[in-house]
Amino acid sequence: VQHEELSLPLYFGWFLLPAVQEKIRCTSMDFLKTLDTLEAFKKHLIDFTGKAEKEVDLEQYYKANGTLHCTTKFCNYGKVEGSKEYAQNPAVRSANGSVFELSLTALFVTPRTAGARVSLTEEQLLLWPADAEKEVESAVTAAASLPRGSRAHITLGCAEGTEPVQTGVDLLQILALQKEGQQGEPLEMELGSLIYYGEGRWMLTLREPIAVPACFSSFYA
Ligand code: A2P
């Protein structure tokens, strides 16, 4: 038993296969490049800069962090509640090392994070912890009672001084606002429709979801 406790990872998740990492980084960069040239975005630049006149280069704004992945359970080597139970879940054990196809359905940015929304299938939801959404419940997200799996995402980058855990929080906030019906005019773009949710929050819902192969595994730093 002690041995198993010691062997709990930093986190479990789906890791994008190497061939697709580059493709998603390019898609993400293209999105950022397009976004920061849009008049609509420039109108709200102050959300990012704090100053009306200042420019922002989104491609430089977010720092990439390691292998692109979609975290399922953050365990912190067993310090996080429910880690052991998660690791021992038969579905988790048998999925280890298997390749799944993740569906990316939206790209989003906030002044803190950039990410891709992952829409999980029923099979993939079997690997999703029951409490993942509740962990970050705020007044906004609680009121929206978002379905399980709503937090699933890939962190594409974080602003200076922001930890990647923030990406899922930002996503849940956008989804809660979306559910409340709080949205302006969508801007039709080549990849899909872009909506501004206030306070520097932008989400591009992809016209064609992007399918990416990803290996379910655990990660030890
Ligand atoms: P994310 O899944 O949004 O990218 P770190 O490098 O900070 O230790 O984080 C390692 C990974 O675990 C990151 O992918 C990060 O965020 C995720 N993560 C970190 N802390 C948490 C947490 N408290 N809850 C859920 N995921 C977390």
Side-chain angles (χ1 to χ4, degrees):
V1 175
Q2 204 179 9
H3 176 74
E4 272 199 354
E5 276 173 9
L6 281 173
S7 72
L8 287 167
L10 181 59
Y11 62 91
F12 286 89
W14 288 283
F15 295 81
L16 271 58
L17 298 189
V20 86
Q21 297 260 347
E22 201 50 38
K23 182 182 169 240
I24 297 305
R25 285 196 202 281
C26 286
T27 306
S28 159
M29 280 301 173
D30 285 347
F31 169 55
L32 296 180
K33 218 184 296 180
T34 309
L35 187 60
D36 74 7
T37 58
L38 289 179
E39 281 313 312
F41 182 80
K42 286 186 184 159
K43 228 168 72 187
H44 299 287
L45 256 190
I46 198 164
D47 296 346
F48 280 78
T49 60
K51 290 199 194 91
E53 302 304 319
K54 246 177 113 183
E55 297 257 319
V56 68
D57 179 357
L58 286 182
E59 286 172 273
Q60 304 288 321
Y61 186 87
Y62 302 102
K63 309 292 165 216
N65 55 322
T67 308
L68 295 179
H69 66 274
C70 173
T71 305
T72 53
K73 178 72 183 175
F74 181 71
C75 298
N76 199 10
Y77 309 107
K79 291 195 204 88
V80 177
E81 211 189 303
S83 297
K84 194 173 150 194
E85 292 72 14
Y86 181 84
Q88 290 175 344
N89 178 338
V92 170
R93 285 180 167 230
S94 70
N96 199 31
S98 305
V99 175
F100 291 71
E101 186 174 280
L102 297 182
S103 177
L104 312 190
T105 53
L107 301 174
F108 59 93
V109 301
T110 75
R112 298 164 297 280
T113 64
R117 183 184 189 192
V118 178
S119 295
L120 301 174
T121 62
E122 288 299 322
E123 187 201 8
Q124 291 163 357
L125 277 170
L126 296 176
L127 302 173
W128 193 252
D131 54 358
E133 281 73 29
K134 290 194 189 76
E135 265 177 16
V136 291
E137 211 157 74
S138 68
V140 195
T141 59
S145 68
L146 297 164
R148 227 163 63 77
S150 298
R151 186 182 178 177
H153 67 278
I154 294 167
T155 297
L156 298 169
C158 293
E160 201 76 61
T162 300
E163 296 292 331
V165 63
Q166 184 64 39
T167 317
V169 180
D170 287 356
L171 172 60
L172 287 177
Q173 276 179 1
I174 292 174
L175 295 179
L177 293 169
Q178 201 173 68
K179 205 168 168 191
E180 277 174 13
Q182 221 197 86
Q183 44 183 267
E185 276 296 291
L187 218 92
E188 293 310 325
M189 298 176 44
E190 202 183 317
L191 284 176
S193 60
L194 177 73
I195 293 180
Y196 176 58
Y197 290 95
E199 298 173 23
R201 296 169 291 205
W202 296 84
M203 180 178 265
L204 173 76
T205 301
L206 298 171
R207 196 162 290 127
E208 297 279 347
I210 304 171
V212 293
C215 181
F216 184 76
S217 177
S218 50
F219 180 86
Y220 300 78

